[in-house]
Amino acid sequence: MFIVNYIKEVFGALKSLAVGLRRTMFYFTHHKEIITEQYPDNRATLKMSDRFKGEVVMPHDEKNEHRCTGCTACEVACPNGTIKIITKFEVNAEGKKKKAIDKFVYHLELCTMCNLCITACPSDAIKMAQTFEHSVFDRSHLTKVLNKPDSKIMEGVE
Amino acid sequence: MVEEIGTTADGDLIINVGPQHPATHGVLHLVITLNGETIKKVEPHLGYIHRSIEKMCESLSYRQFIYVTSRMDYLSSHINNHGCALLVEKAMQIEVPARAQAIRVLLDELTRIASHELWWGAMAMDLGAFTPFFHAFREREMINEIMEDTCGARLTMNYILPGGVLEDIHPDFVKKTKEFIALFKRKVDEYFELLTGNIIFQNRMKGVGILSAEDAISFGCSGPTLRGSGISCDVRKHYPYEIYSQLQFEEVLETGCDSLARYLVRLREMKQSIHIIEQLIDNIPEGDFQAKTKAVLKLPKGEFYQRVETARGEFGIYVVSEGGTTPYRIKFRSPGFSNLSALDHMARGSKIGDLVAMMGTLDLVIPDIDR
Ligand code: SF4
Ligand code: SF4
């Protein structure tokens, strides 16, 4: 009796291995079922989803104008001090002094892509870009000024 | 504290597993006392990835503290976020629109499947089977893509705000999720075929890491670890939150009390998650995805507790509020911490080769244990 059970056990064990191996052989012969992204060879065609949170950017139009008023709502909303707004006073056409941004400093190395700044901004001045290759040789390259040099605030944005 | 190297007075060997060991999946440090090959004691040493998240939260507003919880149990980050948002909503009595609730639950269940899949692959790899890892990651990639479309991130979603969700679901969401379900139903059976019946796997799991129901309760285990010992503890059933009380699903229980039972609970749970998604995917209510909330959230004075069922067990958030804009004190109850505490009891008397299997079935995520 013992020997029968023993043989049964051995064959049962072999069968269990064969069941698993059958799966493996299936994929061995069905290449279409395998998906591997050939990164970085596919960089030209690789497109991230349009909501992907890659980094905070400030869109400028063709006249080099942005929509940021310097209200610092985003700076307050940010949980980890990623954004620093440096403001200055500008004299406008009517001779009135007006607050405007001098520099919108953004520390990419601190950003956690939580989207709170974008939700907080009352004038839609910033948005998320879909970039993802952020590695640089020196950490200082990650500190960015988002408003372009000599850019101005758009007409009519308060 | 034990001596971390050498031998004890009675000639037992002390060895260290981790903090950098491929089988601990993170910076877990175990000091093991061995008598020959038999384990006499396992002592986890924590602190390698402590970020003092609880203290940090005391200076963050009720919108900001949610994002930190994504960094605890990063595999159920969406469910952690969900718990925090629920707490704020409960305390401030914010009514969440039905659409937002359905979206949240859908993504919760997708997160649970993704987390269990990663666990399945990683655990098989710990035991020396490499193929399952690729199978699991192939399907998980589909979920990640759904997440990326809708939430904008693959791991740390930050998609939930108090009062609703950040944006409406992506136009492709329903289609892609349906595709995923149709495919995944076949794949779960494939998982069983590939690994569960395998004789080597069975021998390494059956009767290994016995955790009786009484012990599991006394160690404060929760989630699949406790359900593997036959105790019903699903927060979704016992303290239903969101729309779980209206959904049909079974709580998966196994009575084996061993590693195999915990393994089966998780595999079968994936099927239940699919069942939940199927009920919801065609019935997402129309309407707003976010309730109107005040610009500054202030919790009333008092103490609040909210629990949710993550992929690992019960995640609890306890907030003491002084009525201000930031919490006075915050405490997270993470499932991994309690589950880890049972490891010593499970491992005593078994062979060192089985330790990895036991650790695998506890599904430990170290940043969750050590926050
Ligand atoms: S995404 Fe979050 S962390 Fe990054 S700048 Fe905005 S608020 Fe700060
Ligand atoms: S980006 Fe928006 S929130 Fe931030 S300072 Fe400019 S206008 Fe204000």
Side-chain angles (χ1 to χ4, degrees), chain A residues 53 55-56 73-83 104-108 110-120 126 128 146, chain B residues 64 67 71 158:
Chain A
K53 293 180 254 188
E55 87 180 284
V56 176
C74 52
E75 188 178 334
V76 175
C78 181
N80 38 27
T82 304
I83 297 174
F104 186 113
V105 184
Y106 170 63
H107 297 273
L108 178 56
L110 298 179
C111 183
T112 54
M113 318 299 168
C114 66
N115 221 37
L116 287 176
C117 50
I118 288 147
T119 331
I126 40 179
M128 280 287 178
L146 293 192
Chain B
Q64 292 170 342
Y67 97 99
R71 270 94 191 152
N158 301 324

Side-chain angles (χ1 to χ4, degrees), chain A residues 62-101:
Chain A
E62 61 282 356
K63 286 188 282 178
N64 201 14
E65 288 175 342
H66 56 74
R67 296 175 64 88
C68 176
T69 55
C71 68
T72 68
C74 52
E75 188 178 334
V76 175
C78 181
N80 38 27
T82 304
I83 297 174
K84 275 268 156 331
I85 311 265
I86 302 169
T87 51
K88 61 178 178 195
F89 281 99
E90 256 175 10
V91 183
N92 65 0
E94 292 128 48
K96 263 203 230 129
K97 263 198 184 173
K98 212 172 149 232
K99 205 162 99 176
I101 56 165

Side-chain angles (χ1 to χ4, degrees), chain B residues 112-154:
Chain B
R112 195 181 315 277
I113 296 178
S115 167
H116 282 351
E117 269 183 280
L118 188 134
W119 157 83
W120 182 74
M123 200 207 61
M125 201 165 69
D126 287 348
L127 296 182
F130 206 72
T131 323
F133 190 74
F134 293 113
H135 284 243
F137 265 64
R138 184 186 53 192
E139 271 82 67
R140 188 170 173 270
E141 180 64 25
M142 293 181 79
I143 299 185
N144 275 349
E145 264 166 30
I146 295 173
M147 294 289 186
E148 197 182 305
D149 279 349
T150 295
C151 315
R154 296 160 70 88

Side-chain angles (χ1 to χ4, degrees), chain B residues 63-75:
Chain B
R63 271 206 188 81
Q64 292 170 342
F65 91 104
I66 293 181
Y67 97 99
V68 197
T69 58
S70 308
R71 270 94 191 152
M72 289 168 47
D73 181 355
Y74 47 80
L75 292 177

Side-chain angles (χ1 to χ4, degrees), chain A residues 9 12-14 16-17 19-24 26-27 33-35 37 47-54 75-80 111-116 119, chain B residues 60 63-64 67 71 131 135 138 141-142 145 148-154 156-159 161 166-171 186-187 190 193-195 197-200:
Chain A
E9 216 171 87
L14 284 179
S16 79
L17 294 183
V19 168
L21 262 184
R22 195 176 66 206
R23 234 339 98 199
T24 311
F26 173 82
Y27 284 109
E33 300 257 339
I34 299 167
I35 39 160
E37 287 234 9
K47 199 178 160 296
M48 298 309 275
S49 156
D50 46 359
R51 282 189 196 174
F52 182 72
K53 293 180 254 188
E75 188 178 334
V76 175
C78 181
N80 38 27
C111 183
T112 54
M113 318 299 168
C114 66
N115 221 37
L116 287 176
T119 331
Chain B
L60 295 177
R63 271 206 188 81
Q64 292 170 342
Y67 97 99
R71 270 94 191 152
T131 323
H135 284 243
R138 184 186 53 192
E141 180 64 25
M142 293 181 79
E145 264 166 30
E148 197 182 305
D149 279 349
T150 295
C151 315
R154 296 160 70 88
T156 50
M157 278 69 157
N158 301 324
Y159 181 58
L161 295 176
L166 192 66
E167 277 176 280
D168 206 353
I169 45 172
H170 195 268
R186 276 190 288 127
K187 298 293 178 191
E190 215 170 83
E193 192 180 320
L194 192 65
L195 192 63
N198 188 307
I199 182 78
I200 302 168

Side-chain angles (χ1 to χ4, degrees), chain B residues 317-355:
Chain B
I317 309 118
Y318 175 67
V319 170
V320 181
S321 165
E322 293 273 88
T325 53
T326 55
Y328 174 73
R329 173 80 171 94
I330 205 160
K331 164 90 179 80
F332 294 112
R333 184 237 186 255
S334 69
F337 187 80
S338 313
N339 290 353
L340 174 68
S341 67
L343 182 65
D344 177 43
H345 181 80
M346 282 158 63
R348 280 189 191 199
S350 51
K351 298 276 181 277
I352 186 161
D354 289 334
L355 184 72

